[in-house]
C-alpha cells in the first residue's frame, strides 16, 4: 500500500524540552491510523510538524510525497488541530462560507460537508449555540471542504459527552469508509481500538508501540506503555 505519511526520526526540541524524540511512522493509504498517547506525549507537536506549522529540529517527514507545508500537499490535507477557530455569532453555514472563500474552494462543497458531519439541519444556527460535539463536527466539515485525501484530527473527542463521542467516532469511521486516510490522535485506547485499523503509541515523545489494532486488543493504555514492543 502507498505511504501517505512517512516520518523518519523526527525530533522537536523547545529549549531543554524534547517534545518529540526520534519519531518514525508510516501511514498507508486508506488507513484510519490511531496516534495514541497521554497528555504531553508529543502528539500535537508531531501533527503540527506534518502540517508544516512547526519546523522539526531534526529528522524528515513526507506528506503525500512532499515536504510538510508544501502547498501541493496541503491542498490535499484537511486538519482539525486543537478545536476550530470559528466565529461564534455566525451560523455554521456562514462560517464554512468564509473558510471556503479563503481556501479558494467552491461554495458547492459546503452542503456535502455539512451532510457528512450531520449538521445540515442545524447549519443556520449560530455557532455559539452549538454543543461542543457539534462545534467539533463543524471543524471537521471545514477540514472536508477541500475534499482531502488525508484528514488529520487532533483529539476530536476530547471533552465531549458520551453522545458527542459516539457521533464523532461514527463520523471518523465514515471518513475511512469513504476511502480517505485518517490520522486520529487520542488518549483513549478504547477509542482507537473501536475505530482505527492501526495504532502508534507515543509516550514522552517516543514511539513505544506501532501495530495493527488487533495486536493491542485487550490491553489498556498503561499496559501498552509499560510493555513497549520494541
Ligand atoms: P496534549 O494531549 O496535552 O495536547 P500532546 O501529546 O499533544 O499532549 P504536545 O502538545 O505535543 O503533547 O506536547 C509535548 C511536550 O512539548 C509537552 O511537554 C509540552 O509542554 C511541550 N511543548 C509543546 N509545544 C511547546 C512550545 N511551543 N514550547 C514549549 N514546550 C512545548
Amino acid at each position: 500500500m502507498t505511504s501517505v505519511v512517512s516520518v523518519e526520526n523526527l525530533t522537536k526540541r523547545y529549549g531543554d524540552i524534547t517534545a518529540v524524540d526520534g519519531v518514525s511512522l508510516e501511514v498507508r493509504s486508506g488507513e484510519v491510523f490511531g496516534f495514541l498517547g497521554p497528555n504531553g506525549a508529543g502528539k500535537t507537536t508531531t501533527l503540527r510538524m506534518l502540517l508544516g506549522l512547526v519546523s522539526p529540529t531534526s529528522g524528515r517527514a513526507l506528506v503525500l510525497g512532499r515536504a510538510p507545508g508544501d502547498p501541493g500537499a496541503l491542498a490535499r490535507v484537511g486538519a482539525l488541530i486543537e478545536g476550530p477557530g470559528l466565529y461564534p455569532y455566525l451560523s455554521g453555514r456562514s462560517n464554512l462560507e468564509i473558510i471556503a472563500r479563503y481556501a479558494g474552494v467552491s461554495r458547492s462543497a459546503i452542503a456535502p460537508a455539512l451532510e457528512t458531519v450531520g449538521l445540515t439541519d442545524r447549519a443556520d444556527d449560530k455557532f455559539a449555540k452549538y454543543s461542543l460535539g457539534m462545534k467539533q463536527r463543524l471543524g471537521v466539515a471545514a477540514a472536508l471542504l477541500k475534499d482531502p485525501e488525508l484528514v488529520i484530527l487532533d483529539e476530536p473527542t476530547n471533552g465531549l459527552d458520551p453522545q458527542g463521542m459516539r457521533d464523532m467516532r461514527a463520523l471518523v469511521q465514515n471518513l475511512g469508509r469513504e476511502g480517505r486516510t485518517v490520522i486520529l490522535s487520542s488518549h483513549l485506547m478504547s477509542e482507537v481500538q473501536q475505530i482505527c485499523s492501526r495504532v502508534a503509541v507515543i509516550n514522552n515523545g517516543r514511539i513505544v508501540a506501532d501495530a495493527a489494532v488487533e495486536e493491542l486488543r485487550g490491553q489498556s493504555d498503561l499496559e501498552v506503555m509499560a510493555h513497549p514492543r520494541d
Side-chain angles (χ1 to χ4, degrees):
M1 239 192 272
T2 334
S3 267
V4 170
V5 170
S6 177
V7 171
E8 257 175 60
N9 222 3
L10 209 57
T11 293
K12 179 65 187 181
R13 291 195 197 92
Y14 292 105
D16 292 342
I17 298 169
T18 304
V20 174
D21 193 359
V23 162
S24 298
L25 290 174
E26 294 287 329
V27 180
R28 296 176 204 119
S29 179
E31 276 183 333
V32 177
F33 183 89
F35 194 33
L36 179 70
N39 287 344
K43 303 180 297 295
T44 303
T45 306
T46 303
L47 299 180
R48 286 179 160 270
M49 286 194 279
L50 295 183
L51 292 164
L53 298 171
V54 165
S55 337
T57 307
S58 60
R60 173 171 173 263
L62 284 177
V63 177
L64 295 159
R66 302 191 190 212
D70 177 288
L74 282 183
R76 295 154 64 200
V77 180
L80 177 62
I81 303 269
E82 288 169 354
L86 297 168
Y87 295 103
Y89 298 111
L90 294 181
S91 68
R93 192 192 313 278
S94 299
N95 269 290
L96 293 186
E97 281 167 357
I98 291 170
I99 293 164
R101 202 175 312 141
Y102 275 110
V105 169
S106 160
R107 286 173 59 135
S108 63
I110 293 171
L114 284 165
E115 189 65 31
T116 301
V117 304
L119 285 175
T120 302
D121 293 346
R122 304 292 302 273
D124 296 313
D125 292 0
K126 286 193 173 66
F127 182 72
K129 293 237 161 127
Y130 283 4
S131 66
L132 183 58
M134 292 164 68
K135 287 179 176 164
Q136 288 292 77
R137 284 189 281 129
L138 192 73
V140 176
L144 292 176
L145 289 174
K146 291 183 270 185
D147 192 16
E149 286 167 58
L150 171 63
V151 181
I152 296 179
L153 302 174
D154 190 18
E155 302 209 47
T157 63
N158 215 5
L160 302 191
D161 61 26
Q163 185 59 47
M165 283 194 174
R166 278 194 290 276
D167 291 344
M168 180 59 77
R169 290 173 185 165
L171 168 55
V172 172
Q173 283 179 308
N174 280 337
L175 297 179
R177 286 191 200 110
E178 285 175 356
R180 299 182 206 271
T181 306
V182 181
I183 302 178
L184 169 89
S185 83
S186 176
H187 58 264
L188 297 171
M189 174 60 97
S190 55
E191 176 164 280
V192 302
Q193 283 182 337
Q194 192 186 333
I195 61 179
C196 299
S197 45
R198 225 154 54 77
V199 56
V201 184
I202 185 168
N203 201 12
N204 291 323
R206 295 188 178 181
I207 299 296
V208 295
D210 185 345
V213 159
E214 298 79 58
E215 291 180 44
L216 301 180
R217 210 167 280 288
Q219 295 191 45
S220 70
D221 306 7
L222 288 177
E223 278 165 350
V224 170
M225 285 172 208
H227 301 288
R229 274 160 40 88
D230 47 15

